[in-house]
Amino acid sequence: MAVQEKLNISDPAELLTGEQSYSSLDHEIGDIVLDQKRHQMRWWLIVGAAFLLVNVMLMSIGYLLYMGIGIWGNNQPVGWGFDIINFVWWIGIGHAGTLISAILLLMRQQWRNSINRFAEAMTLFAVMCAGLYPLLHTGRPWVAYWLFPYPNILGMWPQFRSPLIWDVFAVSTYITVSALFWFVGLIPDFATLRDRSKPMWLKKLWGILAMGWRGSVKHWHRYEAAYLILAGLSTPLVLSVHSIVSLDFAVSIVPGWNVTIFPPYFVAGAVFAGFAMVLTLAIPIRKWYKLENLITPTHLDWCAKVMLATGTIVFYGYVMEVFYAWYSGNPYELFLKENRMGGPYAWAFWSLWICNGLMILPLWIPKVRKNLVALMIISQFVSVGMWLERFVIIPMSLHRDYLPSSWGMYYPTIWDFGMFFGTIGFFVFMMFLFIRFLPMINIFEMKDLLLRKEHDGHKNGAAHAAPAMGGGKGGE
Amino acid sequence: MAAATHEPIGHGEGGGAIQPYAIVAEFHDADAIVAAAAKARDEGYRHLDAYTPFPVHGLEDALHFSDPRIKWTIGICGFLGAIIGFSLQFFVSAVDYPMNVGGRPMVSWPSFVPVTFECTVLLASFGAVIGMLAFNGLPRPHHPIFETPRFELASQTSFFLAVEATDPKFDRQATVAFLEGLGAYKVSEVTYNPEDEVY
């Protein structure tokens, strides 16, 4: 027990501040959904702007379907451009959600309770954005089902030795499991909303979603078993997804791609970018919706620490890339490094090192991790940096490979940018709809945290431990 | 209102006898309901259930409730997923559409690992969610316990302990008195008409 308490670094007192009770939590979280007057003009402005970008996305998709992917900048020798950069970028952003909801659950990190719902929603919408790119890149998305193995009159099957088909399975499993995990987490909160809402139609709506949840101890027992196992399944899943994404590159023979460091380096980069996005969204939203007591500076501090740790791993990857180019003695690898550092896209390479190497260094200072403005700025650098990383890896490796006669340049077109900014708009649009219409913090897990906090208070204060808890409490 | 109502149990609108469903005690403290559940169990009650806004640890131990079926279901589903995933790839790559890639064996199993793994996770996850709902008997829009006064608080701030009428020791007066003795905020009797319960 002593060891467990030492390992359990989460102190509930720091994770839930202010005078809280079960009903104050219901009020603070649930009423963001039930009391629609709490959403101010700001919500409409953001959703309106995001909706404009959604229309840009729809136009870009519409024109793409009409003309074909020739409207994009992809061409020989750079066959993978913005579509794959953005695919990898978005799916990486999604990974922080699963990390927070699954991996931190398995590690019994209670600080996940305040941000997991929100981060899972982020995962879901980010993976939706990611999925659009390969789907549209097929050129004929209406026959995208050809990607899946099904008996057909062509007598053909997918090639299961290719990482691209692994990707189809990984990403489609990932979005399905993420959606299941998210929905299961919402069921008890739907019941809370059902019981709190006044109008009959609203009660019925939440009632349908809650599916008759009544919080019986039998329900909770099976629920917790299922939820924990889902977390256990999601943890290797999220690691496999980005590893498989990295194998799309690593299995090929292109210089700069054919390296074994890719899977761990990609996974770390995904978590890095994802936490940057969590901070980007959490910092303004906790202020606008007065959730400072639920998402405390301690949460942001720890998110920043995860960002710093994963960022350092990523930067180690960059340094290793330079090292093994030299150490391999392979002229093509060596040329690739020279081309990255001094070629036509050198600006992207050096910006990447600044964004992901230099700009995260202030996070070593505790004061910076408590400074919201600084965190917000650093997160933006990280998001840009992680996008640049994919730019450096994808078009920069392709544009000058083995044969100088087939070298070329990659120029994205306005439609590439339309899709890119369009998906950003779609992501923001969906996130703000989510904030308005679903409880963005897990209500029942916060109540659990509150109970733990009270128990800790008893232990430290009146030296009287909670009665009859059968040792079931604490960090086990 | 601390005592239960004792009107004679009559007949419902649609015919059929109204029967007692349970005596339900409301508590305002998670620790209190765990203690109460343990005492009810010691007293000899067996058909007990508790309704709480969040999972209260220790409560399932106090009520001696455990259901290993969900874990088995997930395990079996995951195993099925692995078998389906691997056999699909085996069939496609070695039987129905064999393709020689660089002289590698037809059953180049290491390259089948990722898809096998994804299928395992996918089926196990469906097993977890559908299994959880199925064993919990959900979706079920109505349940007699919802007739408990103030039961809307069971998902918000209150903790309810129910002694079900099927319990061998169930006795309307004695059970009410027992639950009141546990320091419950409110004890109520819940009735239902079995013919109204459609599920």
Side-chain angles (χ1 to χ4, degrees), chain A residues 157-235:
Chain A
W157 290 100
Q159 170 57 278
F160 280 109
R161 295 179 192 92
S162 159
L164 296 178
I165 189 76
W166 304 348
D167 224 8
V168 172
F169 275 81
V171 174
S172 53
T173 301
Y174 185 48
I175 193 161
T176 314
V177 174
S178 300
L180 285 175
F181 200 59
W182 190 63
F183 182 72
V184 166
L186 276 164
I187 293 172
D189 285 359
F190 285 143
T192 305
L193 293 176
R194 171 195 67 198
D195 294 340
R196 275 182 79 81
S197 50
K198 298 272 182 296
M200 192 38 94
W201 68 271
L202 202 55
K203 262 190 185 318
K204 279 186 180 157
L205 178 71
W206 296 121
I208 290 166
L209 289 168
M211 294 189 289
W213 181 264
R214 43 189 196 275
S216 153
V217 66
K218 294 168 187 169
H219 284 186
W220 282 121
H221 176 79
R222 299 187 186 106
Y223 179 90
E224 287 207 294
Y227 198 69
L228 194 64
I229 295 175
L230 267 181
L233 291 165
S234 305
T235 301

Side-chain angles (χ1 to χ4, degrees), chain A residues 26 155-157 160-161 166 192 195-196 211-212 214-218 220-222 237 240 447 455 468-469, chain B residues 31 34 49-52 54 65 67 92 96-97 106 108 111 118 135-136 138-140 143 152 155-156:
Chain A
D26 283 334
M156 297 229 291
W157 290 100
F160 280 109
R161 295 179 192 92
W166 304 348
T192 305
D195 294 340
R196 275 182 79 81
M211 294 189 289
R214 43 189 196 275
S216 153
V217 66
K218 294 168 187 169
W220 282 121
H221 176 79
R222 299 187 186 106
L237 176 66
S240 84
K447 289 178 182 166
H455 281 215
M469 294 309 285
Chain B
D31 299 339
V34 176
D49 205 343
Y51 300 88
T52 56
F54 58 90
F65 179 76
D67 183 359
V92 166
D96 200 49
Y97 201 72
M106 287 305 168
S108 48
S111 53
E118 303 300 337
F135 290 131
N136 281 343
L138 302 176
R140 176 175 174 177
H143 186 276
E152 69 278 5
S155 66
Q156 301 178 53

Side-chain angles (χ1 to χ4, degrees), chain A residues 341-364:
Chain A
M341 291 178 180
Y345 295 116
W347 57 269
F349 179 80
W350 293 113
S351 315
L352 163 66
W353 279 49
I354 291 169
C355 288
N356 286 359
L358 196 66
M359 291 312 296
I360 60 165
L361 292 180
L363 291 177
W364 287 102

